Amino acid sequence: MSTSPPSSTAVAAPAPARIASIVGFLVVMELASGITQGWISPLLPSFVERYGLSSADANWITASALLSTAVCVPLLSKLGDVYGHKRLLAVAASLVALGSVIVALAPSFTLLLVGRVLQGAISAFLPLEFAIVRERAGERADRAIGLLVGSLTVGASLGMLLAGVARQYLSLSTTLWLPAVMMIAVVPLLVRLVPETVVRRPGGIDWQGAVLLGAGLVLFLGAVGNGSRWGWTDPLTLGGLLGGAALLLVWVRVENRVEHPLVSLDVIRRGGQGLPLLTAFVFGAYLFGSATPNALFLGTPAEATGYGLGMTGTALGAALLVLGGAMFVGTALAARLADRIGDLGTLVTGALVSAASFLATAAFHQQLAVFLVWQAGLGIGGGIVAAKLPTIVVARAPRDSVGIVSGLYNTSRTVAGSVAGAVFAAVMSALVMGGGTAATIASETSYVVVWSICAGLALLVAVLAFGVTRGSAPAEVAE
């Protein structure tokens, strides 16, 4: 069955000044999104103290938002394709603003988790923005996407740094109100400054598919995120992994049979998206999976373990900001590189720079200045890939399915980061320093192994780039 034509096939191109203002606001919005996402991690000890939490309880502050993301991103992205991307971006921003207020006011741990679940809608910002710039920015869409990705990265690093600084001088409630006020301000500005997209996906929403995909991802990611604590052979872990995989298989069968699926699998199979999404998974595995080991190494005191850089508090946040700043530089370079050496050369360059940085980190990591040089290299390489890969995904998506395809791209990276994080945690748990109290401390070798695995994954991205950049998909794909 052929895809019905979208409700509008021609979009009047806005004036260049209008494009600049639209993209400029969305860049600021992504900066605010990144700050909000990075704000919580430095405050986890304060939450533990306020609510009297155990380590297991505290883990759910992060996990609840992650699991919410698994549901929100595909659903809100698809709703954007059907009802309008600006409209759903405003809905997502309103949910995040409400969640941020609840987090700031929450008198109980349960209400805090409710707020964190609502904040999970923030991960839908990027795919909805991709759809807006694809339609409205025209030839400038590639550069706009790079700026959006770079702003998110810088914002996340700034959020971690600024939250730590704010908490030194302000109460926890006041500190939490800062991102809440920022997100509240975003909503009316978004409604006023950003135009609605006009291309629509015909048909309604495949709610059965949405429930199956969301439930499958929640079960699977919940098991992956808690496996190291519950035990990988624990019935809860195995049940989550197997149950999630089973639901995802049922989801595939449903999507192949319904008239208007949540995700047209033909877009993945024959629309040229399968390999880019696989590449996004591998990319997310090394970029997000390495984040925790890198932060742990920076914070480990060498006096106690014989390795590590012993950074804490604001100094640690500033060190982590190097990666975010370098990624922004990489995203800014990506479009210029693509103009000179093409998409293939750009992706391969970014992946090879990342691989070289991981290998250099594995070999030389004893001094802070040297370690930060390699982090800068990783940021530049990662930024180049992070900016270029989604432009390929967006360009190949049918005009009426940009939101859901971009949502799948984001979900692939999120799932990969969770899986890689669990694998790396298992590696670090297996390679410990020795017996007694040292039996719980990861050895220096474990970090070297993790960085070496990440280098191998980055090299795999370089290889996959040859397939990703070969040919192009048609603008519309038969279902």
Side-chain angles (χ1 to χ4, degrees), residues 5 9 22 27 90 123 129-130 141 154 174 236 249 346 390 412 446 451:
T9 56
I22 294 168
V27 166
S123 294
E129 290 164 351
F130 285 173
V154 171
T174 304
L236 277 176
L249 287 175
T346 301
S412 296
S446 70
W451 291 323

Side-chain angles (χ1 to χ4, degrees), residues 358-380:
F358 277 122
L359 290 174
T361 304
F364 309 103
H365 49 260
Q366 292 81 9
Q367 296 180 340
L368 176 61
V370 174
F371 187 88
L372 293 182
V373 168
W374 309 143
Q375 287 292 286
L378 171 60
I380 291 173

Side-chain angles (χ1 to χ4, degrees), residues 403-429:
I404 186 60
V405 172
S406 300
L408 289 177
Y409 168 81
N410 257 24
T411 301
S412 296
R413 296 194 312 160
T414 300
V415 172
S418 298
V419 172
V423 170
F424 294 162
V427 169
M428 296 174 73
S429 296

Side-chain angles (χ1 to χ4, degrees), residues 9 86 143 180 185 198 274 295 301 335 346 363-364 377 381 390 396 401:
T9 56
K86 171 195 172 176
R143 285 177 169 79
V198 298
T346 301
F364 309 103
R396 292 186 178 186
S401 300

Side-chain angles (χ1 to χ4, degrees), residues 24-68:
F25 172 75
L26 292 177
V27 166
V28 173
M29 185 172 177
E30 269 311 308
L31 184 67
S33 167
I35 290 173
T36 302
Q37 293 181 60
W39 202 261
I40 294 297
S41 293
L43 304 179
L44 288 176
S46 297
F47 286 121
V48 170
E49 181 180 353
R50 169 183 278 189
Y51 299 107
L53 305 177
S54 66
S55 297
D57 291 334
N59 179 67
W60 283 105
I61 298 174
T62 302
S64 57
L66 172 64
L67 297 181
S68 172

Side-chain angles (χ1 to χ4, degrees), residues 377-405:
L378 171 60
I380 291 173
I384 290 171
V385 176
K388 187 70 251 177
L389 188 55
T391 66
I392 295 173
V393 171
V394 169
R396 292 186 178 186
R399 293 180 63 227
D400 59 358
S401 300
V402 177
I404 186 60
V405 172

Side-chain angles (χ1 to χ4, degrees), residues 78-85 87-88 196 200-201 203-205:
K78 179 65 175 184
L79 287 169
D81 288 335
V82 176
Y83 297 112
H85 302 99
R87 182 175 290 115
L88 268 295
E196 182 58 276
R200 296 287 182 270
R201 180 73 176 174
I205 299 297

Side-chain angles (χ1 to χ4, degrees), residues 40-413:
I40 294 297
S41 293
L43 304 179
L44 288 176
S46 297
F47 286 121
V48 170
E49 181 180 353
R50 169 183 278 189
Y51 299 107
L53 305 177
S54 66
S55 297
D57 291 334
N59 179 67
W60 283 105
I61 298 174
T62 302
S64 57
L66 172 64
L67 297 181
S68 172
T69 291
V71 177
C72 287
V73 172
L75 181 58
L76 292 175
S77 300
K78 179 65 175 184
L79 287 169
D81 288 335
V82 176
Y83 297 112
H85 302 99
K86 171 195 172 176
R87 182 175 290 115
L88 268 295
L89 184 57
V91 169
S94 299
L95 290 173
V96 174
L98 176 60
S100 299
V101 171
I102 292 173
V103 167
L105 294 175
S108 68
F109 182 54
T110 300
L111 278 178
L112 174 70
L113 293 184
V114 170
R116 291 293 290 152
V117 167
L118 292 174
Q119 285 183 317
I122 203 167
S123 294
F125 286 11
L126 209 56
L128 292 168
E129 290 164 351
F130 285 173
I132 292 170
V133 299
R134 154 83 184 263
E135 183 175 299
R136 293 290 175 175
E139 295 179 353
R140 303 185 184 187
D142 284 11
R143 285 177 169 79
I145 288 173
L147 288 173
L148 291 171
V149 173
S151 297
L152 172 63
T153 304
V154 171
S157 299
L158 276 175
M160 288 188 288
L161 175 62
L162 295 177
V165 173
R167 186 66 184 96
Q168 287 183 339
Y169 301 101
L170 303 173
S171 68
L172 177 60
S173 294
T174 304
T175 301
L176 290 170
W177 266 109
L178 297 178
V181 170
M182 185 169 54
M183 294 310 303
I184 290 170
V186 158
V187 178
L189 291 173
L190 166 64
V191 172
R192 180 177 178 81
L193 297 177
V194 178
E196 182 58 276
T197 53
V198 298
V199 176
R200 296 287 182 270
R201 180 73 176 174
I205 299 297
D206 170 25
W207 292 106
Q208 183 183 14
V211 170
L212 287 170
L213 177 61
L217 288 174
V218 165
L219 282 175
F220 186 82
L221 291 177
V224 167
N226 291 283
S228 58
R229 188 171 64 257
W230 293 343
W232 292 103
T233 58
D234 186 275
L236 277 176
T237 305
L238 293 176
L241 293 173
L242 296 176
L247 286 178
L248 292 174
L249 287 175
V250 173
W251 171 74
V252 170
R253 292 179 62 86
V254 168
E255 297 304 273
N256 280 322
R257 295 181 178 182
V258 298
E259 183 178 3
H260 297 294
L262 179 73
V263 179
S264 174
L265 297 181
D266 277 347
V267 171
I268 308 301
R269 287 192 293 257
R270 301 202 301 269
Q273 294 291 0
L275 200 55
L277 292 178
L278 173 62
T279 306
F281 184 91
V282 179
F283 172 59
Y286 74 74
L287 185 68
F288 299 139
S290 64
T292 297
N294 288 346
L296 288 174
F297 188 86
L298 280 167
T300 299
E303 299 81 9
T305 61
Y307 69 87
L309 299 171
M311 306 193 74
T312 59
T314 305
L316 176 58
L320 294 174
L321 187 58
V322 170
L323 177 64
M327 279 199 70
F328 185 80
V329 172
T331 59
L333 290 173
R336 296 181 182 180
L337 279 175
D339 289 341
R340 295 191 176 189
I341 60 178
D343 290 349
L344 173 60
T346 301
L347 281 177
V348 170
T349 297
L352 291 181
V353 169
S354 297
S357 299
F358 277 122
L359 290 174
T361 304
F364 309 103
H365 49 260
Q366 292 81 9
Q367 296 180 340
L368 176 61
V370 174
F371 187 88
L372 293 182
V373 168
W374 309 143
Q375 287 292 286
L378 171 60
I380 291 173
I384 290 171
V385 176
K388 187 70 251 177
L389 188 55
T391 66
I392 295 173
V393 171
V394 169
R396 292 186 178 186
R399 293 180 63 227
D400 59 358
S401 300
V402 177
I404 186 60
V405 172
S406 300
L408 289 177
Y409 168 81
N410 257 24
T411 301
S412 296
R413 296 194 312 160

